[in-house]
Amino acid sequence: MQWEFRDDRPIYTQLIEQIQLRIVSGMYPSGSKLPSVRDLASEASVNPNTMQKALAELERLELVYSQRTSGRFITENQQRISQIKEQLADEKTETFFLQMQQLGYSKSETIERITRSN
C-alpha cells in the first residue's frame, strides 16, 4: 500500500488514517512491531516529527503501544481494532451516501444501484 497525501488536510491526520487502515486490514498485524519513527517517516517521505505526532495520536486511540526499549507495537486488543474498523466503515459509508445524494440519488435509489451492480 502506497502512502498517498492530498493538500486539503494536514499530513499527520492523513498518516493516522492510513496507519489505521493498515492495522484494520491486517497489513500491520495485531501484536506486530512497527518500524521505527525514522523508518516510517522515510518510507512515507514525511518529517519524523510529523510521523511522531501521528503515532502519538494512535497511542491515544489505543491502536499502538510503546515499550520503552523495544519500540512501538500494534495492539493485541481485537475488540479495539474492530471498533476502529466499524468507525472507518461508517465514515466511508456516510461519505458515499452524501456524494450519491449530491448526484441526486435518494438513499433507497443508492441502495438499489448497489444491489443491482453486485
Side-chain angles (χ1 to χ4, degrees):
M1 185 181 294
Q2 291 285 348
W3 296 94
E4 296 180 20
F5 303 106
R6 296 175 34 197
D7 292 335
D8 62 342
R9 294 188 352 247
I11 296 293
Y12 88 95
T13 59
Q14 294 178 67
L15 285 168
I16 293 165
E17 292 167 357
Q18 290 184 44
I19 294 170
Q20 283 179 326
L21 184 60
R22 290 165 189 234
I23 292 169
V24 301
S25 71
M27 184 177 172
Y28 291 161
S30 176
S32 67
K33 186 177 189 298
L34 278 173
S36 71
V37 171
R38 287 188 188 278
D39 289 344
L40 279 172
S42 176
E43 180 185 318
S45 300
V46 298
N47 185 299
N49 291 333
T50 304
M51 183 60 74
Q52 175 64 34
K53 186 176 181 180
L55 291 172
E57 179 62 16
L58 289 167
E59 282 188 46
R60 193 189 69 72
L61 293 171
E62 300 176 359
L63 278 177
V64 172
Y65 65 93
S66 292
Q67 289 188 337
R68 284 185 189 233
T69 58
S70 303
R72 284 192 172 90
F73 295 82
I74 305 300
T75 184
E76 294 179 24
N77 182 342
Q78 291 300 317
Q79 183 177 2
R80 185 64 184 140
I81 292 172
S82 293
Q83 287 172 338
I84 296 295
K85 187 175 187 174
E86 288 294 318
Q87 180 184 2
L88 292 172
D90 288 346
E91 290 170 8
K92 298 275 187 201
T93 303
E94 186 177 322
T95 299
F96 173 72
F97 276 106
L98 179 61
Q99 290 171 339
M100 291 301 286
Q101 183 181 24
Q102 290 170 345
L103 288 173
Y105 288 95
S106 68
K107 190 172 187 176
S108 61
E109 290 170 327
T110 300
I111 292 169
E112 184 180 320
R113 282 192 74 76
I114 293 168
T115 307
R116 271 196 331 240
S117 68
N118 289 328

